[in-house]
Amino acid sequence: MARIRNSNTTGCTKFEYARSTPEWNCGIFIDIFPLYNVAQGKLSLLKQKSRVFFYRLGIKGYERKQKLLRCGRPTWKQMCRPEMLLWNVLHLFMDHQGLSKRFDAACAMVQESDQVGMLSFFGFRENFIWPKQWWKETVLLPFEDEMIACPKGYDQILTRQYGDYRVFKRGTAVHSLVVFDPDMPYRQKLQESFRS
């Protein structure tokens, strides 16, 4: 996963605000996710799903353990959660980077397919799986002061993903932005926020 950010704006999530440093770019962003082929046969799909979910659970265990260790000493009850137990076993054979590579390989295990999806982030949710044809060609669309290459089938993709995406719906964002200003660079805005 990657992001495109506009450094002349501010779009800072709660997570970023809590950990922001002068080097951390907090401009308004667009997330960029890799697309993976999604298996089409029942058996192949089951195999792909089980591997993706297995390694995702291990990553969740790693992340939860790191969070608990930062907050103090984890309890036995917390350590016995399925994802924590899985990570503790997987950790005997690989580090977090190795686990991430296995997760990526599980997402990418299908070589040929007529459909693609954002498996690494949304798993196998139907509205995040699309015909590959919708992604084959690109068009340039404006984002802030840039023109960004987007899939030509963006209207079908967004409609499947969100329904009527042109209608603003309050409270449906994935990210919770605590500091937002489209007209002020994030360095200046964060200095003001931390002063108050």
Side-chain angles (χ1 to χ4, degrees):
M1 183 181 108
R3 279 183 174 161
I4 296 174
R5 288 197 183 257
N6 182 341
S7 299
N8 293 319
T9 64
T10 304
C12 199
T13 66
K14 286 181 183 178
F15 177 86
E16 292 167 328
Y17 187 77
R19 293 160 182 78
S20 60
T21 64
E23 297 80 35
W24 197 317
N25 189 319
C26 285
I28 293 174
F29 58 86
I30 294 178
D31 285 330
I32 302 172
F33 295 98
L35 291 178
Y36 296 94
N37 286 321
V38 178
Q40 291 178 277
K42 282 186 179 180
L43 192 58
S44 300
L45 184 60
L46 179 62
K47 188 176 175 184
Q48 187 182 27
K49 277 184 177 181
S50 60
R51 287 189 182 175
V52 168
F53 291 141
F54 176 79
Y55 289 117
R56 173 181 281 155
L57 190 64
I59 289 171
K60 186 177 176 183
Y62 164 82
E63 290 171 348
R64 189 169 297 238
K65 186 172 184 180
Q66 295 304 308
K67 184 177 180 182
L68 288 170
L69 290 172
R70 280 194 302 271
C71 298
R73 192 171 182 164
T75 65
W76 278 106
K77 188 176 180 181
Q78 290 170 325
M79 291 299 287
C80 288
R81 292 180 62 119
E83 65 273 15
M84 297 282 278
L85 292 171
L86 178 59
W87 166 244
N88 286 330
V89 172
L90 290 174
H91 186 57
L92 299 172
F93 306 99
M94 65 189 82
D95 60 8
H96 178 251
Q97 189 175 13
L99 177 59
S100 297
K101 286 180 181 177
R102 298 264 180 120
F103 175 65
D104 182 58
C107 290
M109 66 184 279
V110 176
Q111 300 301 314
E112 290 297 324
S113 176
D114 292 334
Q115 55 187 6
V116 293
M118 288 196 290
L119 305 184
S120 59
F121 192 71
F122 289 107
F124 292 82
R125 286 169 50 188
E126 269 186 47
N127 54 327
F128 291 94
I129 295 175
W130 310 274
K132 191 184 281 186
Q133 187 63 36
W134 292 355
W135 297 85
K136 289 218 181 244
E137 296 178 52
T138 60
V139 292
L140 291 175
L141 297 175
F143 169 69
E144 298 293 324
D145 54 355
E146 296 285 327
M147 295 299 283
I148 306 294
C150 299
K152 194 172 183 179
Y154 69 90
D155 186 60
Q156 296 111 302
I157 293 164
L158 292 172
T159 300
R160 176 175 287 184
Q161 192 169 334
Y162 300 111
D164 190 354
Y165 66 93
R166 291 182 179 93
V167 176
F168 179 78
K169 293 179 185 172
R170 189 174 179 86
T172 59
V174 172
H175 301 290
S176 51
L177 299 176
V178 292
V179 184
F180 180 79
D181 192 327
D183 301 314
M184 186 181 289
Y186 71 94
R187 289 184 193 274
Q188 185 180 344
K189 186 72 175 178
L190 290 182
Q191 283 174 352
E192 287 183 6
S193 294
F194 286 129
R195 269 201 303 265
S196 36

